[in-house]
Amino acid sequence: MKIFSINPGSTSTKIALFEDINEVFTKTLRHSVEELANYSSIFEQYEFRKKIIITSLKEQGYKLEDIDYVVGRGGLLKPIPGGVYKVNETMLADLKTGVLGEHASNLGGILARQIANEIENISDKKVDAFIVDPVVVDELDDIARFSGHPEVPRISIFHALNQKAVARRFARENNTKYENLNLIVVHLGGGITVGAHEKGRVIDVNNGLDGDGPFSPERSGGLPAGQLTKLCFSGKYQLHEVKKMITGKGGFVAYLGTNDARVVEDKHAEGDTKYSEIFKAMAYQVAKEVGQCGAVLKGNVDAILITGGIAYAKEFCQWIEERVSFIAPVKRYPGEDEMLALTEGVFYALNGEQEIKEYK
């Protein structure tokens, strides 16, 4: 089967064509600020992006009617359990209105359905459109939602697509089902999230977007609440500046002036003690978060899986492993192949590995 994947970003749209789960081609379509300035909302961009996608597909030598299924990156929908969802009218309405906010990923499901419509119009086949594991996946146990104050509940925002894809990949490699395993999955990227996966559900995970868990290349992670409160009311900073400290200018950026983990790794290898100290501190905090997930799963953990771009840094992962291997065996899956993750979700769902769900 030919599966076409679409992943919209703020200034780009990544597309890929797969035969089953084998990549035929992938391409990143760049959009200039001037081009996007013509649209007052993200939703209004869909026609512009759709035309570019179709043109690019033809330039690669493929026809629309060659495609059997279309999958798009899930956007800011209502909180839902993880899985593969067929794009329906209810989903389209929520993506168009931005039920949880405007984000380029909201275009994923819209573009997938629009491209599928185009294929149906020029062929005699029905073409389904899907999304897979959007960032709003929420499977938290009720007890995990308590923070310590009712005004500030813990919420589920994490790298659901990559975490779930890696967990299922590990299960297939071990001839079992994701739903049979207890796993701790560590995503190491610009943000860091560590999830406790119990029998197919992420029952606890840090909110890596908004100040929870380990610090990362550009996020502060969980800061001491009292000190943060004093900072907020010190008169030195405005709200937008404090928010930027938490997401965008925290972590490596705050300590070292870079958000590039490869730069930090290189400086560490050269013997720069300042860079080494911060690099090791981040690994230390990740290991602590893994330990918390070990407690959530009551020590019943089949494996700890480390993924994301920073998982290429072997020594960094070794520092984590030294502290957590007593919990369970550790395995690395370096990188974050979102296009493959989207495609695998659809391919294995269509082959009966998991159900195709309805968004309500």
Side-chain angles (χ1 to χ4, degrees):
M1 64 181 77
K2 287 188 173 63
I3 303 172
F4 189 56
S5 298
I6 305 169
N7 186 0
S10 56
T11 59
S12 67
T13 305
K14 195 168 186 179
I15 60 173
L17 182 65
F18 288 79
E19 290 185 352
D20 294 341
I21 55 173
N22 302 305
E23 183 183 300
V24 177
F25 80 86
T26 184
K27 187 173 184 180
T28 300
L29 311 174
R30 305 289 179 186
H31 314 308
S32 70
V33 174
E34 291 75 21
E35 286 176 316
L36 298 180
N38 296 318
Y39 306 97
S40 59
S41 70
I42 287 173
F43 169 64
E44 289 182 3
Q45 298 173 14
Y46 86 86
E47 191 70 40
F48 159 73
R49 295 202 193 209
K50 183 182 78 171
K51 289 178 181 177
I52 293 176
I53 290 169
I54 293 172
T55 299
S56 181
L57 181 68
K58 291 177 180 176
E59 288 174 351
Q60 296 296 318
Y62 293 93
K63 300 177 182 177
L64 277 175
E65 51 265 40
D66 292 334
I67 296 169
D68 299 307
Y69 301 97
V70 189
V71 57
R73 182 72 186 268
L76 297 178
L77 295 160
K78 291 173 287 193
I80 53 176
V84 177
Y85 288 81
K86 189 179 293 187
V87 179
N88 59 19
E89 292 303 319
T90 304
M91 182 186 295
L92 289 173
D94 282 353
L95 290 171
K96 290 173 183 177
T97 59
V99 65
L100 280 187
E102 272 208 351
H103 191 274
S105 61
N106 289 6
L107 290 171
I110 296 169
L111 286 167
R113 187 58 260 171
Q114 289 290 327
I115 298 294
N117 288 346
E118 292 283 338
I119 299 167
E120 289 180 344
N121 289 338
I122 60 175
S123 68
D124 59 355
K125 62 182 178 182
K126 186 178 186 307
V127 179
D128 288 323
F130 304 93
I131 65 164
V132 179
D133 291 324
V135 294
V136 294
V137 164
D138 185 347
E139 300 167 338
L140 296 185
D141 276 352
D142 288 341
I143 198 168
R145 301 183 189 279
F146 289 91
S147 67
H149 197 287
E151 291 284 341
V152 192
R154 294 184 68 240
I155 60 176
S156 178
I157 297 180
F158 70 109
H159 302 92
L161 179 62
N162 195 39
Q163 283 209 24
K164 291 270 190 178
V166 164
R168 290 187 180 279
R169 205 167 297 160
F170 174 83
R172 286 192 294 271
E173 289 171 359
N174 288 274
N175 299 311
T176 187
K177 292 184 177 180
Y178 170 49
E179 291 76 14
N180 295 336
L181 297 170
N182 285 354
L183 303 166
I184 299 172
V185 185
V186 180
H187 178 99
L188 303 173
I192 292 176
T193 55
V194 183
H197 296 236
E198 182 180 61
K199 303 292 188 280
R201 291 175 52 239
V202 184
I203 62 171
D204 203 343
V205 65
N206 65 296
N207 177 352
L209 174 66
D210 212 15
D212 191 15
F215 73 79
S216 76
E218 55 187 33
R219 297 172 193 172
S220 68
L223 296 172
Q227 291 168 250
L228 180 60
T229 304
K230 288 179 182 178
L231 190 75
C232 290
F233 288 90
S234 66
K236 293 172 62 179
Y237 304 101
Q238 296 183 354
L239 174 61
H240 73 274
E241 293 174 308
V242 175
K243 290 178 73 173
K244 202 67 178 176
M245 287 180 187
I246 293 170
T247 303
K249 291 187 177 180
F252 284 172
V253 176
Y255 286 115
L256 302 171
T258 180
N259 66 355
D260 192 335
R262 293 167 298 183
V263 170
V264 178
E265 184 182 18
D266 289 344
K267 290 283 189 180
H268 159 69
E270 292 167 6
D272 189 311
T273 55
K274 182 181 179 182
Y275 282 79
S276 293
E277 186 177 45
I278 302 304
F279 207 30
K280 290 177 181 178
M282 191 169 81
Y284 174 83
Q285 290 200 0
V286 172
K288 283 174 63 177
E289 196 74 20
V290 171
Q292 290 186 53
C293 286
V296 167
L297 295 169
K298 302 177 183 177
N300 181 18
V301 183
D302 295 293
I304 299 165
L305 311 180
I306 301 179
T307 185
I310 303 175
Y312 284 111
K314 291 183 180 180
E315 189 175 14
F316 182 84
C317 294
Q318 286 170 357
W319 293 333
I320 298 171
E321 186 171 357
E322 287 168 2
R323 295 183 182 275
V324 305
S325 59
F326 74 95
I327 300 172
V330 179
K331 183 166 184 181
R332 287 191 309 134
Y333 291 86
E336 180 186 7
D337 194 335
E338 293 175 333
M339 308 309 281
L340 177 60
L342 289 169
T343 302
E344 283 184 340
V346 172
F347 176 79
Y348 288 109
L350 290 169
N351 281 284
E353 184 182 282
Q354 57 179 314
E355 67 170 317
I356 296 172
K357 298 179 180 180
E358 179 184 2
Y359 180 80
K360 298 178 181 179

